[in-house]
Amino acid sequence: MKLMVICIVVYLSLCVGLLPQCTTGSPTSGIKPFPKECIFVSDTFIDCRHRDLRTIPSGFPETVETLLLSYNSIHVITNESFHGLVNLVTLELHHNSISKLRSDFFEDQTKLQYLSLSHNQIGDKLPDDAFKHLRALEVLDLSYMNHGFTVLPLALQELIHLRSLNVSSNRLQSASFTPGVAFPALLELRLGKNQIESLQNEDFEALLNCNLDFLDLTENQISAIDSGVFHPIASIAELDFSKGLHPAAIPSLAEALTDYQVNALYLREIGLEIWNSNNFKNLRNSSLEKLDISFNNITTLDSGFSGLSKISSLIIQSSHVAHISNTAFSGLQLVVTLDLSGNDIATITDGMFSSLSNTRLKTLYLDSNKIKRIDASGGFSGLSNLHYLKISKNKIEQNFIGDEFKDLDSLEVLDMGVNRNISLSPDAFRLLKNLQTLYLNLANLKNITVVPSPFDKLSSLTKLDLSNNNMAALHKDTLSNLSYLETVYLQHNNLYNMWNETVYVPFLKYLRRLKHLNLCFNGFQNIPNDSLSSLHELETLLLCHNKISQLQDGVLDGLPLTTLDLGYNEINLINQTLIEPLQGSLQILAVSGNPFSCGCNLQWFRNWLDVTKVHVNDSSHMKCASPPEMRGKLVMDFHPERLNCDHLLPFYIWIIIGVGSGMVFVIVGLSVKFRFHINYCWNLVNARRRKYQRIKGEDRPFLYDAFVSFSNKDEDWVKNELVQNLEGEYGFRLCIHDRDFILGRKILDSIVEAVDSSRFTLCIMSTNYLDSHWCKMEREFAMANLIDRDVLIIIALGEIPEKKITKYYKLHRLMMKRTYLAWPDEPGVRRNDFWVKLRTVLREPELRVNNNVSI
Ligand SMILES: *[C@@H]1O[C@H](CO)[C@@H](O)[C@H](O)[C@H]1NC(C)=O
Ligand SMILES: *[C@@H]1O[C@H](CO)[C@@H](O)[C@H](O)[C@H]1NC(C)=O
Ligand SMILES: *[C@@H]1O[C@H](CO)[C@@H](O)[C@H](O)[C@H]1NC(C)=O
Ligand SMILES: *[C@@H]1O[C@H](CO)[C@@H](O)[C@H](O)[C@H]1NC(C)=O
Ligand SMILES: *[C@@H]1O[C@H](CO)[C@@H](O)[C@H](O)[C@H]1NC(C)=O
Ligand SMILES: *[C@@H]1O[C@H](CO)[C@@H](O)[C@H](O)[C@H]1NC(C)=O
Ligand SMILES: *[C@@H]1O[C@H](CO)[C@@H](O)[C@H](O)[C@H]1NC(C)=O
Ligand SMILES: *[C@@H]1O[C@H](CO)[C@@H](O)[C@H](O)[C@H]1NC(C)=O
């Protein structure tokens, strides 16, 4: 007891002693605890954004390379904040309230490449040497300073590796860099959202030897541009003046850009109202390739683009352009892309694009205008190189006869979707020999039943969109000639009566190369047996949102489908016969939104869902509709094995059968092993029955004096001694089984009868007898039957080991209770006595055998 108390005391004191070390100890002592405010993404990347921090936490590991501290309320940086963080490459501090920077704050950041300080309050107070240690800095963001810079800070002069500088959204009055500053590596300069009103010759002097690529001057109020201002940055490729230039300054801009390599010029939303190519005449020798004058208010295009002859991409979106004269695009010899989307063009008149005839124009966007009509005498004439024409989202209301597309021999893509009322005459597309893609979706197309089909001439067509047209009928040959068609969209029509119970119009029959077919939202109830069978290359079949309740066996056989959408129909079951033929190719299956019948018929499908590699879409909308108890439940929550669908015995029955047969096996085994015990029991029962029968007819005379029960091994003794000394002259009659039993009767019956018809039973007890099962049976039988009748005489023949006797409980009891006759070992007087005694007993049953020889 005392020892235990001591132990506990020692243990507790050890624990208390260790405790402080456990809680404060870190694997490597010496490192400050890591700031728990932040997310330790890795030991090189720490994310402290949006943590409402007021100061910069301490304890960053020296290994950190990227440290994000943006979107906090940090006011103050000190010379301790980043002390020791020598590996820092990226530091984000934007969206804070920092107002002060000093050079010693960044003393250790000689590897820093990216620094973002936008949305802080650093203004003209920035010391001239603030960045002097950041010798590796490549990207610096100083935009959106509250009360920001009015002049470009002198501190920038140290940053000779700077590639990108953003000083947008400050209060800069000019783009002038302080003389002496040089940025040999600068590629991108953003000066947008400032108050710059003029660009002066010396402004970019500091950038003399750099290869500036992109200059952002958006959202300024530039109205004066000195002609030499771009001289130091002659390499400039993109120049963005969107919302930043007074239209009156365009001529001086053009002059300033003369002979320089500007590729792209953005003049979006500058309030330009009149397009006058003369304003650009000084650009004649420039290499300008892209001009974007979108979001202006240019109602009329008529003066051409002379001077901009190298332009390949002209973008005039949403600029209220309504009138386009036949000289509108003159001078654009190299134009490839013309974007006039979102304007107010109402009619494509004959010759409208004649100023572009024989140019390389490939792509023409006219979508989202107000076009009602395309002149039937050839609205696009001359555009013989046009590949792509987009006239969708207009108000076209027209019956196309074909001449509208005159000269569009090269056209590959025609988008006429989303228009008001398009109808097609048989010749509508007769000139578009190279058309590959045709969009006619949501165009209020009527039934296309004209013969010959308007699509007949489109023998190169690979993609056709006829969706959203409320068409109720197609002629069976409407699509017949489109032997290269790979994709056809027919969703959102009313084609159900093409394939109803009585009518089958084989409108897809000849589309042998079809890969993608969308027939969703058509009201189909029926998918006829043959309707898809010729589509040997079909990969995507979308049949969603119809009224299909059953797909006939074989309807999808042989189709190399990878995607099958049967969602939102009236299908109760998915049959093995439907899916199994698709197993090799199918990757995506959608069947949600159907009223599944969650019974045994769905068993195969439900089990398949568990094992398949096919992606089954949207299984959260795959619900049972019946039986009533399953209604609304997910198919995935349906477990057919609980229904005993194969009429197999339930599992527990199998267990019972298993255990049962095991038991039978054991019983048979035991019976073989203990066959004599069983036999004995049986005999016992029989014998008892007979005994009672016999008792009824009591006084029958005995046939034998004694029945002799013995082991066959003692046969010699029985024949030579017992028979000799009792039968014959002595007059006793013995029943000895191999002599007196009647052949052919059952042994048991013979024994029972022998015992019954004998006055005594003589049991020749020996080791042989005890070893013999046969004898044992006789013996036990006799004992059971006769034990109470004093008719059993035991003759002990030779020495019998006691342990053999004790095995037989009854016999033991008997031999303990009764006396018995022992056969003397040596011949002589004692054997004579033995016979006399035995004869006396047999003759006078009442006389008790009395011999005290014990075994
Ligand atoms: C930070 O500056 C203070 C004086 O302003 C100086 O005492 C201290 O040693 C500096 N700490 C570091 C790490 O340079
Ligand atoms: C354009 O370049 C040619 C020579 O290539 C030159 O003769 C002509 O004067 C230049 N035009 C302008 C406006 O600079
Ligand atoms: C565009 O210009 C027309 C006159 O050309 C004028 O009536 C209209 O208000 C202008 N629209 C805008 C948005 O400036
Ligand atoms: C569609 O155009 C046809 C003529 O092409 C015309 O008869 C019909 O009324 C128009 N329908 C609508 C709804 O505009
Ligand atoms: C289109 O076809 C359907 C059935 O063939 C017919 O009922 C309907 O009147 C037709 N509509 C037009 C506009 O021709
Ligand atoms: C099948 O469609 C035809 C028109 O194509 C229609 O006349 C017929 O009534 C439809 N049959 C059924 C059973 O809907
Ligand atoms: C459908 O076609 C298959 C063979 O392509 C055939 O075995 C089956 O009987 C057909 N069923 C009907 C209803 O025509
Ligand atoms: C599934 O197969 C059974 C017979 O095999 C058929 O009666 C049943 O109509 C089929 N169901 C569907 C949806 O194809």
Side-chain angles (χ1 to χ4, degrees), residues 732-744:
F732 291 102
R733 178 128 176 77
L734 298 178
C735 175
I736 293 169
H737 56 71
D738 64 341
R739 187 186 71 186
D740 300 315
F741 281 6
I742 296 157
L743 283 176

Side-chain angles (χ1 to χ4, degrees), residues 793-797 819-823 834 837-838 841 849 851:
I793 298 168
I794 298 172
I795 294 168
L797 202 64
T819 48
Y820 50 87
L821 286 167
W823 173 246
F834 169 87
K837 264 184 201 165
L838 180 56
V841 173
V849 178
N851 188 323

